[in-house]
Amino acid sequence: MTGDSNPPPPSGPAASAGPTGIAIRLEPLVVRVLAPNPSAFTGTGTQTHLVGTTDLAVIDPGPDDPAHLAALERAIDGRRVSAILVTHHHRDHSPLSRPLADRTGAPIVGAAPTHRTAGGEGGDGPRSDAAFDADYRPGRVLADGDIVSGEGWTLEAVATPGHTSNHLAFALRETNALFSGDHVMGWSTTVVSPPDGDMTEYMASLERLMGREDRVYYPGHGEQVDDPRRLVRGMMGHRRQREGQVMRLLGEGPRTIPEMVARMYVGLDPRLAPAAERSVLAHLIDLDRRGRVRAEGDRWAAA
Ligand SMILES: [Zn+2]
């Protein structure tokens, strides 16, 4: 068994989101500005979206970078910012919300700063690691179905946990566009890293998008997705394929996670090996819940 090597390619052209700092109009109500933070995890960088014409919503301001703040202020061009929306508070998405709120007076709204906790008590938030923006403080937390609106635009929060437990997408009702954050991206499948990332929830959130009629996705990274359900179906198939690989490997005998990654991700960029290990762990946790695998020390076995 050789296994597939990489996620399926995104639909449409290869990820090339244009130069940083330039406002690119995607449709009359939507402008995109690329932040200067390319990496193995962010692709060409984080994409901030501006929605509206007279007053604006800013979705995922991005990393705390003065050049990106200046670029957003050029794109805002003196107009009123009614809301700064955040899909999730990873450090490449939310830190610029604070300086932008200071400069514009707009409220920060969106994903919860605190969410699920082990045992249901306390309030120490997503089971966060260094990828999270610890200083994220929304003035208003949005639940599934909550609305934020301005002149000519209406954004509805769509709960899409999985990449993180607090992840939200935002649906622009006027044009059937969905700002999909890191849940579904135009350049790669998302990282699902336990304990906050959850494969069971991620698959349910993909299933949920399959039941929607969105015309286009504008993701946090990578090109816009013009055939959303085709891509989502492909991503679900990709995860099922990974799950099948895990079960076939464990059918040969107990394995550690690094042993599985070496067999499952042939030719993987070494920088992404830790993320691949987290992803395999996420599959194992999901399979364990369904009674199909069990942990034996640092090895996993078919149940
Ligand atoms: Zn993220």
mmCIF file of all heavy atoms in Angstrom, residues 87-93 131 163-164 167 181-183 185 190-191 221, ligand 1:
data_model
loop_
_atom_site.group_PDB
_atom_site.id
_atom_site.type_symbol
_atom_site.label_atom_id
_atom_site.label_comp_id
_atom_site.label_asym_id
_atom_site.label_seq_id
_atom_site.Cartn_x
_atom_site.Cartn_y
_atom_site.Cartn_z
ATOM 1 N N THR A 87 -13.423 34.918 12.359
ATOM 2 C CA THR A 87 -13.893 33.527 12.198
ATOM 3 C C THR A 87 -13.386 32.617 13.315
ATOM 4 O O THR A 87 -14.072 31.697 13.744
ATOM 5 C CB THR A 87 -13.427 32.924 10.849
ATOM 6 O OG1 THR A 87 -11.986 32.919 10.797
ATOM 7 C CG2 THR A 87 -13.992 33.707 9.673
ATOM 8 N N HIS A 88 -12.143 32.860 13.763
ATOM 9 C CA HIS A 88 -11.541 32.103 14.865
ATOM 10 C C HIS A 88 -10.272 32.844 15.240
ATOM 11 O O HIS A 88 -9.727 33.605 14.435
ATOM 12 C CB HIS A 88 -11.267 30.650 14.481
ATOM 13 C CG HIS A 88 -10.225 30.453 13.424
ATOM 14 N ND1 HIS A 88 -10.341 30.985 12.158
ATOM 15 C CD2 HIS A 88 -9.036 29.800 13.426
ATOM 16 C CE1 HIS A 88 -9.284 30.645 11.441
ATOM 17 N NE2 HIS A 88 -8.465 29.929 12.194
ATOM 18 N N HIS A 89 -9.813 32.620 16.480
ATOM 19 C CA HIS A 89 -8.717 33.487 16.920
ATOM 20 C C HIS A 89 -7.353 32.808 16.857
ATOM 21 O O HIS A 89 -6.589 32.816 17.808
ATOM 22 C CB HIS A 89 -9.008 34.117 18.281
ATOM 23 C CG HIS A 89 -9.197 33.175 19.432
ATOM 24 N ND1 HIS A 89 -10.148 32.192 19.447
ATOM 25 C CD2 HIS A 89 -8.548 33.090 20.614
ATOM 26 C CE1 HIS A 89 -10.078 31.553 20.594
ATOM 27 N NE2 HIS A 89 -9.116 32.061 21.326
ATOM 28 N N HIS A 90 -7.051 32.265 15.695
ATOM 29 C CA HIS A 90 -5.666 31.897 15.422
ATOM 30 C C HIS A 90 -4.885 33.168 15.124
ATOM 31 O O HIS A 90 -5.441 34.160 14.668
ATOM 32 C CB HIS A 90 -5.593 30.912 14.247
ATOM 33 C CG HIS A 90 -5.713 29.481 14.694
ATOM 34 N ND1 HIS A 90 -6.073 28.466 13.848
ATOM 35 C CD2 HIS A 90 -5.499 28.909 15.913
ATOM 36 C CE1 HIS A 90 -6.079 27.312 14.528
ATOM 37 N NE2 HIS A 90 -5.733 27.558 15.776
ATOM 38 N N ARG A 91 -3.561 33.096 15.363
ATOM 39 C CA ARG A 91 -2.761 34.325 15.335
ATOM 40 C C ARG A 91 -2.627 34.938 13.950
ATOM 41 O O ARG A 91 -2.257 36.106 13.834
ATOM 42 C CB ARG A 91 -1.371 34.059 15.923
ATOM 43 C CG ARG A 91 -1.449 33.913 17.442
ATOM 44 C CD ARG A 91 -0.070 33.899 18.055
ATOM 45 N NE ARG A 91 0.711 32.818 17.472
ATOM 46 C CZ ARG A 91 2.009 32.654 17.696
ATOM 47 N NH1 ARG A 91 2.659 33.490 18.462
ATOM 48 N NH2 ARG A 91 2.659 31.635 17.154
ATOM 49 N N ASP A 92 -2.928 34.161 12.920
ATOM 50 C CA ASP A 92 -2.892 34.761 11.581
ATOM 51 C C ASP A 92 -4.238 35.391 11.202
ATOM 52 O O ASP A 92 -4.369 35.924 10.105
ATOM 53 C CB ASP A 92 -2.454 33.729 10.523
ATOM 54 C CG ASP A 92 -3.337 32.494 10.495
ATOM 55 O OD1 ASP A 92 -3.829 32.087 11.563
ATOM 56 O OD2 ASP A 92 -3.536 31.942 9.398
ATOM 57 N N HIS A 93 -5.229 35.353 12.090
ATOM 58 C CA HIS A 93 -6.564 35.886 11.755
ATOM 59 C C HIS A 93 -7.016 37.072 12.604
ATOM 60 O O HIS A 93 -7.608 38.002 12.079
ATOM 61 C CB HIS A 93 -7.612 34.768 11.858
ATOM 62 C CG HIS A 93 -7.500 33.764 10.770
ATOM 63 N ND1 HIS A 93 -8.310 33.754 9.661
ATOM 64 C CD2 HIS A 93 -6.618 32.752 10.585
ATOM 65 C CE1 HIS A 93 -7.939 32.778 8.855
ATOM 66 N NE2 HIS A 93 -6.921 32.152 9.396
ATOM 67 N N ALA A 131 -0.744 28.505 18.646
ATOM 68 C CA ALA A 131 -1.339 29.049 17.429
ATOM 69 C C ALA A 131 -2.445 30.055 17.734
ATOM 70 O O ALA A 131 -2.855 30.821 16.870
ATOM 71 C CB ALA A 131 -1.901 27.915 16.577
ATOM 72 N N HIS A 163 -11.820 22.796 12.668
ATOM 73 C CA HIS A 163 -10.466 23.370 12.644
ATOM 74 C C HIS A 163 -10.157 23.921 14.028
ATOM 75 O O HIS A 163 -9.087 23.679 14.585
ATOM 76 C CB HIS A 163 -10.416 24.454 11.575
ATOM 77 C CG HIS A 163 -9.146 25.259 11.577
ATOM 78 N ND1 HIS A 163 -7.922 24.718 11.270
ATOM 79 C CD2 HIS A 163 -8.909 26.571 11.866
ATOM 80 C CE1 HIS A 163 -6.989 25.674 11.354
ATOM 81 N NE2 HIS A 163 -7.566 26.792 11.726
ATOM 82 N N THR A 164 -11.085 24.669 14.594
ATOM 83 C CA THR A 164 -11.092 25.032 16.017
ATOM 84 C C THR A 164 -12.513 24.825 16.520
ATOM 85 O O THR A 164 -13.465 24.757 15.731
ATOM 86 C CB THR A 164 -10.696 26.508 16.244
ATOM 87 O OG1 THR A 164 -11.627 27.347 15.555
ATOM 88 C CG2 THR A 164 -9.286 26.791 15.755
ATOM 89 N N HIS A 167 -14.906 27.916 15.571
ATOM 90 C CA HIS A 167 -14.847 28.469 14.215
ATOM 91 C C HIS A 167 -16.241 28.840 13.680
ATOM 92 O O HIS A 167 -17.183 28.073 13.785
ATOM 93 C CB HIS A 167 -14.200 27.458 13.259
ATOM 94 C CG HIS A 167 -13.842 28.042 11.931
ATOM 95 N ND1 HIS A 167 -14.787 28.294 10.961
ATOM 96 C CD2 HIS A 167 -12.656 28.445 11.416
ATOM 97 C CE1 HIS A 167 -14.176 28.822 9.905
ATOM 98 N NE2 HIS A 167 -12.885 28.927 10.151
ATOM 99 N N GLY A 181 -13.430 31.162 6.116
ATOM 100 C CA GLY A 181 -12.348 31.144 7.093
ATOM 101 C C GLY A 181 -11.342 30.047 6.798
ATOM 102 O O GLY A 181 -10.894 29.889 5.663
ATOM 103 N N ASP A 182 -10.991 29.266 7.821
ATOM 104 C CA ASP A 182 -10.067 28.148 7.635
ATOM 105 C C ASP A 182 -10.798 26.813 7.577
ATOM 106 O O ASP A 182 -10.158 25.764 7.557
ATOM 107 C CB ASP A 182 -9.042 28.091 8.788
ATOM 108 C CG ASP A 182 -7.923 29.098 8.612
ATOM 109 O OD1 ASP A 182 -7.995 29.903 7.662
ATOM 110 O OD2 ASP A 182 -6.983 29.086 9.426
ATOM 111 N N HIS A 183 -12.129 26.847 7.591
ATOM 112 C CA HIS A 183 -12.865 25.576 7.537
ATOM 113 C C HIS A 183 -12.696 24.920 6.171
ATOM 114 O O HIS A 183 -12.309 23.760 6.064
ATOM 115 C CB HIS A 183 -14.338 25.820 7.860
ATOM 116 C CG HIS A 183 -15.187 24.592 7.748
ATOM 117 N ND1 HIS A 183 -14.847 23.408 8.344
ATOM 118 C CD2 HIS A 183 -16.357 24.366 7.103
ATOM 119 C CE1 HIS A 183 -15.782 22.500 8.074
ATOM 120 N NE2 HIS A 183 -16.694 23.059 7.317
ATOM 121 N N MET A 185 -10.755 25.908 2.560
ATOM 122 C CA MET A 185 -9.849 26.877 1.955
ATOM 123 C C MET A 185 -9.607 26.533 0.504
ATOM 124 O O MET A 185 -9.761 25.388 0.088
ATOM 125 C CB MET A 185 -8.520 26.895 2.711
ATOM 126 C CG MET A 185 -8.693 27.318 4.158
ATOM 127 S SD MET A 185 -7.112 27.461 5.019
ATOM 128 C CE MET A 185 -6.680 25.745 5.282
ATOM 129 N N THR A 190 -7.757 21.807 5.611
ATOM 130 C CA THR A 190 -7.440 22.497 6.856
ATOM 131 C C THR A 190 -6.696 21.568 7.813
ATOM 132 O O THR A 190 -6.730 20.349 7.683
ATOM 133 C CB THR A 190 -8.733 23.034 7.505
ATOM 134 O OG1 THR A 190 -8.377 24.018 8.478
ATOM 135 C CG2 THR A 190 -9.529 21.929 8.180
ATOM 136 N N VAL A 191 -6.014 22.170 8.789
ATOM 137 C CA VAL A 191 -5.382 21.398 9.850
ATOM 138 C C VAL A 191 -6.410 21.160 10.955
ATOM 139 O O VAL A 191 -7.078 22.096 11.392
ATOM 140 C CB VAL A 191 -4.163 22.164 10.416
ATOM 141 C CG1 VAL A 191 -3.613 21.460 11.651
ATOM 142 C CG2 VAL A 191 -3.081 22.311 9.365
ATOM 143 N N HIS A 221 -7.585 31.682 3.193
ATOM 144 C CA HIS A 221 -6.336 31.455 2.467
ATOM 145 C C HIS A 221 -6.682 30.820 1.121
ATOM 146 O O HIS A 221 -7.510 29.919 1.050
ATOM 147 C CB HIS A 221 -5.412 30.510 3.233
ATOM 148 C CG HIS A 221 -5.185 30.912 4.664
ATOM 149 N ND1 HIS A 221 -4.176 31.769 5.052
ATOM 150 C CD2 HIS A 221 -5.857 30.594 5.795
ATOM 151 C CE1 HIS A 221 -4.233 31.944 6.365
ATOM 152 N NE2 HIS A 221 -5.246 31.247 6.840
HETATM 153 ZN ZN ZN B 1 -6.701 28.800 11.758
#
